[in-house]
Amino acid sequence: EDQVTQSPEALRLQEGESSSLNCSYTVSGLRGLFWYRQDPGKGPEFLFTLYSAGEEKEKERLKATLTKKESFLHITAPKPEDSATYLCAVQAMEAGGTSYGKLTFGQGTILTVHP
Amino acid sequence: KAGVTQTPRYLIKTRGQQVTLSCSPISGHRSVSWYQQTPGQGLQFLFEYFSETQRNKGNFPGRFSGRQFSNSRSEMNVSTLELGDSALYLCASSLELWDRGPGTEAFFGQGTRLTVV
């Protein structure tokens, strides 16, 4: 069974204090790993897709990396507006079944950035 | 380009009633998936539709059902509501055509907050 574990559960940073969020995953075959940002009461907002080990993607203060067992979301010099829950999800090859539309999500990391 | 639209945003229903939620995907997207989000279980996959056909289904009871129309709009229905059905229901659309290549990113709507009393 596919599993996604995110750590830490919550992270409090001062503005400008860089850090990383971790996403560990176990899948039979990875079709893609996705990072989302979710603000309270809203739907997840797509950030990045990673497909293979060694791949990196960047967007403003965020950089996502992928290995065969985990992904990191690095946040450089965060600002208060980066405060949100960050979700990691995998889409996997399903043995004996289909993976259409099915993302397996981690529980998320709640990031709070203080000014 | 317009995003995924879900209606209504909020619903309050009584136990035993049924409810229908609606989702309009991004123009050109034919794959629509539904998820349930609760504080305890996080985001869980309900089902996926493409060209009016259900292609995949998660581990939810038969009280949860859906359908898709020829314009790709989708509805989700929950019958005989239980207190535990209170959740944020999210719809996502994507360009996913087949399930053996690189995954395709899904774009979510704002969700429908269902409260069962």
Side-chain angles (χ1 to χ4, degrees), chain A residues 15-40:
Chain A
E15 186 172 1
E17 180 187 1
S18 301
S19 188
S20 295
L21 314 182
N22 177 264
C23 170
S24 297
Y25 63 93
T26 305
V27 296
S28 51
L30 183 68
R31 293 187 58 204
L33 184 141
F34 305 88
W35 281 98
Y36 288 88
R37 167 196 171 125
Q38 186 174 27
D39 293 302

Side-chain angles (χ1 to χ4, degrees), chain A residues 2 12 15 23 33 40 49 52 74-75 80 87 108 112-113:
Chain A
D2 306 327
R12 300 165 68 94
E15 186 172 1
C23 170
L33 184 141
T49 307
S52 56
H74 308 276
I75 303 177
L87 296 163
T112 305
V113 182

Side-chain angles (χ1 to χ4, degrees), chain A residues 31 34 36 38 41-44 46 49 51 87 91 93-94 97-103 105 107, chain B residues 9 33 35 37 40-43 45 48 55-56 96 98-103 105-106 108-110:
Chain A
R31 293 187 58 204
F34 305 88
Y36 288 88
Q38 186 174 27
K42 297 191 175 182
F46 170 75
T49 307
Y51 292 111
L87 296 163
Q91 190 170 21
M93 302 285 191
E94 295 287 333
T98 174
S99 65
Y100 286 121
K102 180 182 177 184
L103 297 176
F105 280 85
Q107 292 289 76
Chain B
R9 289 294 313 278
S33 300
Y35 288 82
Q37 186 174 29
Q41 299 297 317
L43 275 138
F45 172 72
E48 188 263 5
R55 295 193 299 185
N56 202 3
E96 175 136 291
W98 65 305
D99 69 343
R100 284 297 179 259
E105 51 264 22
F108 286 82
Q110 297 288 49

Side-chain angles (χ1 to χ4, degrees), chain B residues 22-98:
Chain B
S22 181
C23 172
S24 293
I26 292 170
S27 178
H29 287 192
R30 293 160 65 190
S31 170
V32 175
S33 300
W34 288 89
Y35 288 82
Q36 181 194 65
Q37 186 174 29
T38 58
Q41 299 297 317
L43 275 138
Q44 293 187 292
F45 172 72
L46 282 156
F47 30 64
E48 188 263 5
Y49 285 86
F50 182 90
S51 289
E52 302 178 66
T53 300
Q54 186 183 88
R55 295 193 299 185
N56 202 3
K57 190 177 189 304
N59 296 323
F60 278 81
R63 300 185 297 106
F64 293 82
S65 63
R67 59 176 176 168
Q68 187 181 36
F69 302 94
S70 58
N71 62 358
S72 295
R73 189 177 69 85
S74 178
E75 287 181 348
M76 180 193 137
N77 185 274
V78 188
S79 63
T80 319
L81 284 166
E82 300 176 0
L83 295 178
D85 296 333
S86 295
L88 182 65
Y89 289 89
L90 292 159
C91 164
S93 77
S94 81
L95 289 168
E96 175 136 291
L97 296 179
W98 65 305

Side-chain angles (χ1 to χ4, degrees), chain A:
Chain A
E1 185 177 321
D2 306 327
Q3 285 195 324
V4 179
T5 303
Q6 291 187 246
S7 62
E9 290 184 15
L11 181 63
R12 300 165 68 94
L13 299 174
Q14 288 297 125
E15 186 172 1
E17 180 187 1
S18 301
S19 188
S20 295
L21 314 182
N22 177 264
C23 170
S24 297
Y25 63 93
T26 305
V27 296
S28 51
L30 183 68
R31 293 187 58 204
L33 184 141
F34 305 88
W35 281 98
Y36 288 88
R37 167 196 171 125
Q38 186 174 27
D39 293 302
K42 297 191 175 182
E45 174 190 346
F46 170 75
L47 294 174
F48 302 108
T49 307
L50 300 166
Y51 292 111
S52 56
E55 192 174 357
E56 298 182 351
K57 295 268 179 77
E58 277 188 80
K59 178 181 177 181
E60 296 181 356
R61 296 179 291 282
L62 300 176
K63 178 179 176 180
T65 62
L66 182 65
T67 72
K68 287 189 177 178
K69 292 183 178 181
E70 56 192 349
S71 177
F72 293 93
L73 185 66
H74 308 276
I75 303 177
T76 302
K79 298 182 178 181
E81 53 261 42
D82 294 322
S83 298
T85 297
Y86 289 85
L87 296 163
C88 170
V90 297
Q91 190 170 21
M93 302 285 191
E94 295 287 333
T98 174
S99 65
Y100 286 121
K102 180 182 177 184
L103 297 176
T104 299
F105 280 85
Q107 292 289 76
T109 293
I110 303 170
L111 174 66
T112 305
V113 182
H114 296 283

